[in-house]
Amino acid sequence: VQLQASGGGLVQAGGLLRLSCAASGFTLDHYAIGWFRQAPGKGREGLSCISSGGGSTYYADSVKGRFTISRDNDKNTVHLQMNSLQPEDTAVYYCAAGDRAASIATMIWDYEYDYWGQGTLVTVSS
């Protein structure tokens, strides 16, 4: 069971990136997926999550209106479209999968997740 986040990189302020979370060894369609980030010297922050079927999403205030989460269960992939990136968005970004029967708002918390992928670094220059 593996998750892999990809798509990070260096971008200027105001730019955009699209992160992907791919699974191997299991299918994502039974799992809610969350995106998190951890900046240097800071704790892990929940950004967004999407229900197993894709019908429900939730965003942290820090990214609401700028980030969009989506999933393609046929491709076993979840994406995080990040627009209007700012230097404070610089962090390592992680995706996680969880199959608990919790409300979508609760799934913004990292303790709801069982599987975590390796992170991808996003650096936003000013």
Side-chain angles (χ1 to χ4, degrees):
V1 173
Q2 278 192 320
L3 288 173
Q4 179 65 55
S6 62
L10 174 63
V11 64
Q12 288 188 329
L16 56 88
L17 284 172
R18 187 189 195 210
L19 303 185
S20 296
C21 177
S24 59
F26 70 111
T27 55
L28 290 179
D29 57 358
H30 295 303
Y31 295 86
I33 303 298
W35 281 99
F36 297 80
R37 69 185 178 191
Q38 188 162 17
K42 294 189 177 181
R44 189 157 54 193
E45 177 188 11
L47 304 176
S48 182
C49 47
I50 187 166
S51 60
S52 58
S56 298
T57 58
Y58 186 86
Y59 297 92
D61 288 344
S62 59
V63 303
K64 196 175 297 182
R66 299 190 299 128
F67 292 10
T68 302
I69 192 170
S70 62
R71 67 189 302 155
D72 185 340
N73 285 342
D74 289 339
K75 295 184 179 178
N76 217 27
T77 304
V78 175
H79 300 287
L80 185 69
Q81 178 68 44
M82 306 189 298
N83 298 335
S84 302
L85 285 163
Q86 299 302 317
E88 52 266 34
D89 294 316
T90 295
V92 177
Y93 284 68
Y94 301 88
C95 61
D99 63 355
R100 302 176 194 192
S103 69
I104 192 63
T106 304
M107 297 304 292
I108 201 67
W109 300 106
D110 57 4
Y111 54 75
E112 295 288 352
Y113 293 89
D114 301 305
Y115 305 107
W116 290 82
Q118 302 252 353
T120 185
L121 177 63
V122 172
T123 304
V124 185
S125 62
S126 57

